[in-house]
Amino acid sequence: GGKTLALAAMLANNGTVLAYDVEARRLKQLQGSLSRAGATCVETTDLARLQSDPALLFRPSDGRGGADCVLVDAPCSSTGVLRRHPSLRWTLTPEQVAEFPALQLDILHNASANVRAGG
């Protein structure tokens, strides 16, 4: 939510920020934060809804021109914080860690398809 709020502030409510998340709960929390901040340029959509209604995507090929830029907050393995959160050693398996690069690449590939030419 913090990155979305920062982008909305940078735009000063001129333009549009499309915020997608896999968890509708987080988007609901974000909507409350956006309301308190007076940010009106953000549209939120959970990914389950996006997958069931591809028309919600903002692709350059659909005639809407695509996005100027895309910010991806891809999931990470959290291995960089093991020192601060040692309990991760017992909850995170090597197999899970090995899955992240492919997932991150897939997310980046899909997100990059939304960027307009020259964006």
Side-chain angles (χ1 to χ4, degrees), residues 57-87:
L57 284 171
F58 194 71
R59 301 238 187 241
S61 61
D62 70 4
R64 293 189 285 171
D68 292 325
C69 65
V70 174
L71 171 71
V72 173
D73 189 5
C76 70
S77 65
S78 301
T79 56
V81 297
L82 284 174
R83 206 174 279 210
R84 287 182 304 206
H85 302 284
S87 63

Side-chain angles (χ1 to χ4, degrees), residues 8 10-11 15 17 32 45 58 69 81 83 104:
M10 287 172 54
L11 287 176
V17 176
T45 304
F58 194 71
C69 65
V81 297
R83 206 174 279 210
Q104 292 164 336

Side-chain angles (χ1 to χ4, degrees), residues 18-24 27 43-59 62 64 70-72 106-107 110-114:
L18 304 174
Y20 304 123
D21 202 307
V22 295
E23 291 189 34
L27 290 173
E43 297 175 20
T44 61
T45 304
D46 69 270
L47 287 180
R49 182 169 171 234
L50 187 65
Q51 290 171 344
S52 67
D53 188 0
L56 294 171
L57 284 171
F58 194 71
R59 301 238 187 241
D62 70 4
R64 293 189 285 171
V70 174
L71 171 71
V72 173
D106 187 48
I107 291 170
N110 286 329
S112 69
N114 293 296

Side-chain angles (χ1 to χ4, degrees), residues 18-42:
L18 304 174
Y20 304 123
D21 202 307
V22 295
E23 291 189 34
R25 171 189 57 84
R26 286 195 287 221
L27 290 173
K28 187 170 180 146
Q29 291 171 338
L30 172 61
Q31 289 169 341
S33 299
L34 293 168
S35 178
R36 286 187 296 279
T40 59
C41 64
V42 179

